[in-house]
């Protein structure tokens, strides 16, 4: 494989940025779909005992989704830094290769998912729904 010339490298980084940005926004819509699904399910099946299992699962799934999205964000920011360089030297399309170099172990990965699930923008409305469900 031959090395890309600087203008080609910048163009490839620009293409990567566009692809990452589209994927980042898709993750945002996916997270919103999970929240709306939780609300609709609660509205349709209020008081059902299986909601006690399903709501935490949806919450954790959104945490996983947002963790994946944060990896895209990290790479987007790196690509933006590279694009500010007069002649970028780093290769484009390295999202997974870069992440694999710093991939945490299984336990740390699970903790990362839980940490993401506890962020306020992810957590709402799940605790509220569970709290209201507890008192109904």
């Amino acid at each position: 494989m031959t090395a890309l010339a600087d203008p080609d490298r910048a163009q490839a980084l620009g293409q990567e940025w566009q692809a990452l940005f589209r994927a980042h926004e898709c993750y945002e819509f996916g997270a919103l779909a999970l929240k709306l699904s939780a609300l609709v399910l609660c509205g349709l099946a209020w008081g059902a005992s299986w909601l006690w299992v399903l709501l935490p699962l949806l919450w954790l799934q959104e945490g996983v989704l947002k963790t994946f999205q944060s990896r895209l964000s990290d790479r987007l920011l790196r690509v933006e830094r590279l694009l500010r360089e007069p002649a970028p030297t780093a290769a484009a399309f390295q999202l997974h290769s870069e992440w694999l170099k710093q991939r945490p172990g299984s336990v740390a990965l699970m903790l990362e998912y839980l940490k993401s699930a506890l962020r306020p923008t992810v957590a709402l409305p799940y605790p509220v729904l569970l709290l209201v469900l507890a008192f109904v």
Side-chain angles (χ1 to χ4, degrees):
M1 183 174 187
T2 61
L4 293 174
D6 290 337
D8 292 337
R9 191 177 302 268
Q11 183 179 6
L13 285 167
Q15 290 172 345
E16 179 184 0
W17 187 92
Q18 289 175 355
L20 288 171
F21 183 78
R22 282 190 300 272
H24 185 274
E25 292 306 299
C26 285
Y27 277 99
E28 196 63 37
F29 284 113
L32 181 59
L34 284 170
K35 283 185 187 328
L36 292 175
S37 297
L39 290 169
V40 168
L41 284 170
C42 283
L44 294 175
W46 196 254
S49 59
W50 51 265
L51 283 174
W52 283 104
V53 174
L54 187 63
L55 287 177
L57 286 176
L58 288 173
W59 185 359
L60 287 173
Q61 184 58 48
E62 188 175 344
V64 170
L65 190 75
K66 295 301 262 184
T67 302
F68 293 167
Q69 184 187 37
S70 73
R71 292 180 194 141
L72 295 180
S73 295
D74 292 345
R75 179 62 185 171
L76 272 166
L77 292 171
R78 177 151 161 65
V79 168
E80 288 177 0
R81 279 193 308 274
L82 292 169
L83 285 169
R84 283 193 296 270
E85 293 177 3
T89 56
F93 307 110
Q94 299 299 306
L95 171 69
H96 294 291
S97 296
E98 286 187 357
W99 182 77
L100 190 58
K101 289 178 189 173
Q102 57 191 354
R103 183 188 188 277
S106 297
V107 173
L109 200 54
M110 296 298 283
L111 289 172
E112 187 179 355
Y113 294 151
L114 287 172
K115 183 178 160 187
S116 183
L118 293 174
R119 291 184 3 221
T121 55
V122 175
L124 287 175
Y126 303 106
V128 174
L129 290 172
L130 289 167
L131 187 63
V132 172
L133 187 62
F135 288 107
V136 171

